[in-house]
Amino acid sequence: MDPLSQLFAHPRAERAFSLLMTMRSPWTVDIADGSALTLMAVIRGRCRVAAGPVDHDLRPGDVALIRGPRPYRVGDPTGHPPLARIEPGQRCITPDGRPLHVAFARGLRRWGNDPDGPDAVVVASYAEAGSVGRFVTDVLPDVAVVPAGRIDAGPVDLLHRELQRDGLGQSVVLDRLIDVVTIEAIRAWAADHPPAGEPWLAGVTDPAVTVALDAMHTRPETAWTVAGLARLAAVSRAGLAARFRRSVGQPPLRYLARWRLALARDLLGDPTLTLDAIAARVGYSSGFALSTAFSREYGHSPRAHRRRMAAPVDPVGAGQRPPATNTQNG
């Protein structure tokens, strides 16, 4: 299983939020919700995404992946001053801080200044990708644009239709559709822009490397060596090492160490697991050995990371019905 598959098998992917935003010009919205990754698909009209040093004009059929948690701006091409701001907790306010969620709410999953506006955009976002997910999201630019026609329009159309109705199990259906569109968008972007540091994201075509990656991803607790992985892949040790570096961008055991620590970092979110139990799951001989490697990689101890994850979150907008544009949902 590759990190892209692992990202969307991760429990935190279930927190994806989705809605249909319908707008009439002039409109601009400041987004500061802190989401890890946001998907935007233009259904009709146009919109401009301003994140980082470049503005991106999107047209019908275009899909954009916006990497958080930094704030960004979305609006029509006029550059009109913002009429709304989205904050953590889905708190929707005017630029001067007045509540706006009632005025712009068009139902459970529709939002905007005009329900029949000519600009319509599907918005979906992941509150947190997790450390494993960041193997993927950290490779993306501030905004990764996939032009119309590069991915199958079917899942986007299904997502659009599902957002316009209500029914049993809808949140599960939306989660799966969001995952499919996001995965397809990442695949298409990586194929057109192979990341130099993580070439595997564009797809690993070397069968020996695929075998080695699958072994490390699915059995991280195994005491893998390059020789052992090579035997599994039926190639020489030197051959696997060279092919792995060429396909993945780093030596096999360095990649394995990063993978194990990313898994451990996510597992620290489960308060029922001891450090020794986590160490056993990800291939370290003891909690002490894991703690040493973890501190070297991340600059703080597992205990400090666990305290940070358990810290209470300021419930901004608590008690309000989620109305906003790109944020999270359960």
Side-chain angles (χ1 to χ4, degrees):
M1 182 181 289
D2 59 83
L4 186 55
S5 300
Q6 193 80 0
L7 166 61
F8 294 102
H10 195 274
R12 294 184 186 185
E14 301 303 322
R15 297 179 184 176
F17 170 85
S18 57
L19 56 73
L20 177 64
M21 179 172 64
T22 55
M23 290 291 201
R24 184 173 298 277
S25 184
W27 66 276
T28 300
V29 181
D30 281 339
I31 312 294
D33 63 1
S35 294
L37 183 66
T38 298
L39 167 78
M40 288 191 179
V42 180
I43 303 302
R44 63 176 184 268
R46 296 175 62 187
C47 78
R48 174 173 293 171
V49 177
V54 180
D55 292 354
H56 302 266
D57 287 316
L58 307 179
R59 292 173 172 78
D62 290 350
V63 173
L65 298 166
I66 304 155
R67 182 166 58 90
R70 287 182 294 182
Y72 61 97
R73 177 172 288 186
V74 61
D76 64 30
T78 65
H80 193 267
L83 52 80
R85 176 179 172 86
I86 309 304
E87 297 190 332
Q90 306 316 304
R91 185 166 179 255
C92 177
I93 60 174
T94 62
D96 59 1
R98 291 179 288 111
L100 193 59
H101 61 284
V102 174
F104 275 25
R106 307 297 174 190
L108 181 59
R109 292 185 174 90
R110 298 190 66 177
W111 184 91
N113 67 357
D114 185 342
D116 301 312
D119 298 331
V121 183
V122 168
V123 181
S125 59
Y126 297 86
E128 176 57 67
S131 297
V132 167
R134 283 195 286 272
F135 266 63
V136 176
T137 59
D138 284 356
V139 174
L140 298 174
D142 293 319
V143 181
V145 177
V146 179
R150 282 293 288 115
I151 64 174
D152 187 345
V156 176
D157 292 340
L158 284 172
L159 179 56
H160 176 216
R161 291 203 298 272
E162 193 66 28
L163 286 169
Q164 298 179 85
R165 62 189 180 194
D166 195 13
L168 293 174
Q170 188 183 41
S171 62
V172 176
V173 173
L174 288 170
D175 281 344
R176 298 291 72 78
L177 288 172
I178 293 164
D179 286 352
V180 169
V181 176
T182 303
I183 292 170
E184 285 296 291
I186 292 174
R187 280 175 167 174
W189 179 85
D192 293 339
H193 310 84
E198 305 282 357
W200 60 264
L201 191 56
V204 175
T205 57
D206 187 317
V209 176
T210 299
V211 169
L213 282 170
D214 185 65
M216 288 188 279
H217 291 153
T218 57
R219 290 179 280 164
E221 74 283 358
T222 301
W224 294 115
T225 63
V226 178
L229 291 167
R231 282 194 298 273
L232 199 65
V235 296
S236 70
R237 181 188 182 283
L240 177 65
R243 291 161 68 170
F244 195 98
R245 183 185 284 273
R246 184 167 57 249
S247 295
V248 180
Q250 56 195 288
L253 296 189
R254 171 56 186 154
Y255 180 90
L256 176 60
R258 287 180 60 216
W259 179 256
R260 285 170 165 167
L261 291 172
L263 290 173
R265 204 166 187 238
D266 288 342
L267 288 170
L268 285 166
D270 185 345
T272 67
L273 292 175
T274 66
L275 192 58
D276 283 338
I278 294 172
R281 285 195 186 189
V282 300
Y284 284 86
S285 59
S286 67
F288 178 79
L290 171 60
S291 182
T292 299
F294 190 98
S295 300
R296 186 185 308 118
E297 180 75 11
Y298 297 118
H300 55 265
S301 69
R303 179 175 296 180
H305 182 71
R306 177 166 265 174
R307 282 199 304 266
R308 191 177 306 167
M309 295 180 78
V313 178
D314 181 21
V316 180
Q320 297 182 6
R321 186 188 187 93
T325 139
N326 73 354
T327 30
Q328 63 254 42
N329 156 43

